[in-house]
Amino acid sequence: MPSEKQITKTEVVIVGAGPAGLGCAALLKQMGIEDQELIVLERGEIGESFLRWPKTMRLITPSFPSNGYHQTDLNAITPDTSPAFSAGKEHLSGEEYAKYLDMVAKHYKIKVTTNTQLDSVSSRGPNRGYELLAGELTIHCKFIIWAGGEFQSPNTAGFSGAELCIHNSKISEWDQLSKGHYVVIGGYESGVDATFNLVNQGYEVTLLDIGGAQQDTFDPSRVLSPYTAERLSSLSSAEGVEYDDDFEVSNVYQQGDGYVVQSTDGKEVFTPFPPINCTGFEIDLGPLTDFFVYQDNGYPWVSPFDESTKMRNVFLAGPRLYHDPTLLCFIYKFRGRFAAPCAVIASELELDTSIFKHYKQAGMLLQDLDCCKEQECFC
């Protein structure tokens, strides 16, 4: 007779061992959750998305070890850690940040099941929780926090012929590309990063953007960071670079041995190499896609506790968290919401929530999202 399926039973499963997943896990550990009550699943290694960054890519938000003055490092995921302190750098590489995340996991004794892909999730019925299939694992749990990030879901359908391009997330080292002229599509953070690094390596680049990266807003999610704006400014005097900020790409097609990028108003740019697509990432919640209802802009609807409005005890954490009109896409934004799902879990599991006071003092407990709607800088 076949052996019975081995089932691992736990209370909480967190999907993703990046800053969102480990941030929630570290908070739960500080609240007293037991090891057997928490499982963190990671399809690669800890910080896998950051390990896949191009070697020259850096965090655009600066790190500084100012935690002792209640000015928490912008890239920290707990109040008592600082990437700047551990790495000794202001703008960390992906590999350096992944190392920081690994140190956080070790410090808070978070057990991460690495190299394990979540294959499917199904409800076990009302008030019975969920069954997760991940590789050879079958897991039954009550709570799920999706913290899968976005790097694994590049936007490859933003315009006709996008499949002919190379998404910037697929390039590990810019200097490994053949020498010549490249077209970069998208003038936001990743597009400027690609252009800056290519130009510094001696390549010729045409950067295409629509409307310019700078917009009439104070929201850092919708305007270039100072780090990137400074790099873009430096390109204005560099040789071998052209910047067209009024080029809405409609189509990419092959012409002979090269490629043509065409705009909606008929302009064309030729390049001998596949254009580099820097138009960002799609919203992809993997096996939990159907567990959420989606807004007109594609973002998942969530409750005030960042819980799915469709399925009970299924939560969202990370850069796809959106509370109209606030997009919580940077680490220093979405970390303020770690307490939202953890508060619900704490109530059910009778965990100690006194750590919330420390998180609030550190500016890592964002409850009133109205404060994000009308922020201005006067000078």
Side-chain angles (χ1 to χ4, degrees):
M1 296 179 59
S3 60
E4 292 187 5
K5 179 170 58 176
Q6 295 296 313
I7 297 175
T8 299
K9 296 183 179 181
T10 189
E11 296 289 348
V12 183
V13 172
I14 297 176
V15 184
L22 292 179
C24 289
L27 179 53
L28 288 170
K29 291 289 287 187
Q30 292 173 87
M31 295 161 65
I33 196 168
E34 299 292 338
D35 287 346
Q36 69 272 16
E37 296 177 324
L38 173 65
I39 293 176
V40 179
L41 296 177
E42 169 54 51
R43 65 190 181 92
E45 301 294 337
I46 291 175
E48 180 70 20
S49 294
F50 295 92
L51 292 172
R52 295 188 182 193
W53 274 14
K55 301 298 182 185
T56 53
M57 186 176 280
R58 298 290 181 269
L59 291 175
I60 59 175
T61 45
S63 283
F64 199 83
S66 51
N67 296 24
Y69 299 92
H70 301 301
Q71 300 294 325
T72 309
D73 188 318
L74 289 176
N75 298 306
I77 60 171
T78 72
D80 300 315
T81 61
S82 168
F85 180 79
S86 58
K89 291 186 177 180
E90 187 171 320
H91 294 278
L92 281 69
S93 69
E95 185 175 351
E96 289 164 340
Y97 194 70
K99 184 178 180 180
Y100 158 74
L101 294 176
D102 187 62
M103 293 171 66
V104 170
K106 287 182 171 63
H107 178 77
Y108 291 99
K109 296 181 173 59
I110 301 168
K111 294 182 179 179
V112 180
T113 303
T114 58
N115 299 303
T116 302
Q117 178 79 37
L118 178 62
D119 298 315
S120 67
V121 181
S122 58
S123 172
R124 300 183 60 231
N127 302 315
R128 296 188 62 201
Y130 300 93
E131 178 173 280
L132 292 74
L133 301 181
E136 297 180 355
L137 294 177
T138 299
I139 304 171
H140 287 178
C141 69
K142 185 174 184 179
F143 304 94
I144 303 174
I145 300 177
W146 175 266
E150 59 185 14
F151 200 75
Q152 75 279 2
S153 305
N155 178 13
T156 57
F159 47 85
S160 178
E163 71 278 0
L164 299 174
C165 304
I166 302 175
H167 197 274
N168 72 294
S169 64
K170 304 299 183 182
I171 299 173
S172 60
E173 297 188 45
W174 295 107
D175 60 4
Q176 298 300 309
L177 299 178
S178 300
K179 291 295 183 182
H181 171 259
Y182 286 85
V183 168
V184 174
I185 300 173
Y188 197 51
E189 306 288 354
S190 59
V192 175
D193 179 77
T195 302
F196 183 85
N197 284 294
L198 284 169
V199 170
N200 279 353
Q201 293 289 341
Y203 298 84
E204 295 181 354
V205 182
T206 298
L207 174 61
L208 304 177
D209 188 26
I210 176 62
Q214 298 287 350
Q215 301 182 31
D216 185 21
T217 177
F218 297 98
D219 187 350
S221 296
R222 295 177 171 85
V223 67
L224 282 183
S225 68
Y227 177 74
T228 302
E230 184 178 10
R231 298 170 101 190
L232 180 61
S233 178
S234 72
L235 291 173
S236 64
S237 58
E239 295 184 1
V241 60
E242 295 182 19
Y243 178 38
D244 189 337
D245 65 354
D246 188 26
F247 197 109
E248 183 177 5
V249 176
S250 65
N251 185 33
V252 174
Y253 62 91
Q254 286 187 279
Q255 185 179 82
D257 294 332
Y259 301 81
V260 174
V261 183
Q262 191 175 54
S263 73
T264 52
D265 58 5
K267 291 189 289 186
E268 293 185 341
V269 178
F270 177 82
T271 173
F273 304 108
I276 298 171
N277 183 355
C278 298
T279 58
F281 301 86
E282 297 177 344
I283 297 175
D284 181 6
L285 305 187
L288 289 176
T289 295
D290 293 336
F291 283 49
F292 288 83
V293 178
Y294 296 84
Q295 305 177 51
D296 291 340
N297 59 9
Y299 286 94
W301 282 108
V302 291
S303 76
F305 292 98
D306 300 346
E307 184 179 19
S308 166
T309 57
K310 184 178 180 180
M311 303 293 286
R312 187 169 181 266
N313 293 336
V314 176
F315 301 90
L316 179 64
R320 288 310 185 187
L321 196 55
Y322 180 82
H323 286 272
D324 189 20
T326 304
L327 177 59
L328 299 154
C329 63
F330 288 130
I331 294 169
Y332 64 85
K333 283 186 165 186
F334 65 68
R335 71 183 183 188
R337 300 296 298 176
F338 292 163
C342 291
V344 177
I345 295 170
S347 177
E348 293 277 350
L349 301 184
E350 298 183 347
L351 302 178
D352 181 6
T353 60
S354 61
I355 190 66
F356 284 176
K357 181 179 180 181
H358 184 40
Y359 270 64
K360 186 174 183 179
Q361 289 175 333
M364 289 183 61
L365 203 162
L366 181 60
Q367 295 172 302
D368 183 7
L369 288 164
D370 287 340
C371 69
C372 305
K373 293 181 181 179
E374 301 294 338
Q375 288 294 316
E376 292 186 359
C377 300
F378 297 103
C379 59

